[in-house]
Amino acid sequence: MISAAIIYIFINLITFAAFGLDKRKAVKGRWRISEKTLLAMCLFMGAAGGWAGMKVFRHKTAKWYFAFTVPAMAVLQISAIVYFTYIA
């Protein structure tokens, strides 16, 4: 059985890569990943990877809804993981 931690890491790596790919496509003026898709990836347990992608690639940091919601989602997701792993 695959550990929940491995799945969480995998989802965040994919989200991180999506932010990097979208930044690369933006610089080259090519097809982009929609903002809805990026936010959905963050919502479904990929917020830590999205937040890291925003910082590393300097991508979507000027958009207030990314700058506020992605870090907030990351904090909530990590808090939930800690709560359900150690407290509940």
Side-chain angles (χ1 to χ4, degrees):
M1 183 164 81
I2 298 176
S3 169
I6 293 172
I7 294 170
Y8 180 74
I9 290 167
F10 182 70
I11 290 169
N12 279 283
L13 286 173
I14 290 173
T15 305
F16 178 81
F19 272 77
L21 179 63
D22 190 51
K23 175 65 176 196
R24 182 179 173 108
K25 300 280 186 172
V27 169
K28 293 189 176 225
R30 302 172 88 194
W31 162 86
R32 304 278 305 277
I33 299 171
S34 73
E35 290 182 345
K36 287 181 184 179
T37 301
L38 291 173
L39 284 172
M41 292 174 80
C42 291
L43 180 65
F44 295 108
M45 297 308 286
W51 195 7
M54 288 173 61
K55 295 294 183 181
V56 169
F57 302 115
R58 293 180 170 208
H59 191 49
K60 299 291 183 193
T61 56
K63 306 271 185 171
W64 70 267
Y65 41 91
F66 275 89
F68 175 75
T69 59
V70 174
M73 282 190 279
V75 168
L76 289 173
Q77 289 171 8
I78 292 169
S79 298
I81 289 168
V82 169
Y83 176 78
F84 288 113
T85 302
Y86 299 107
I87 298 171

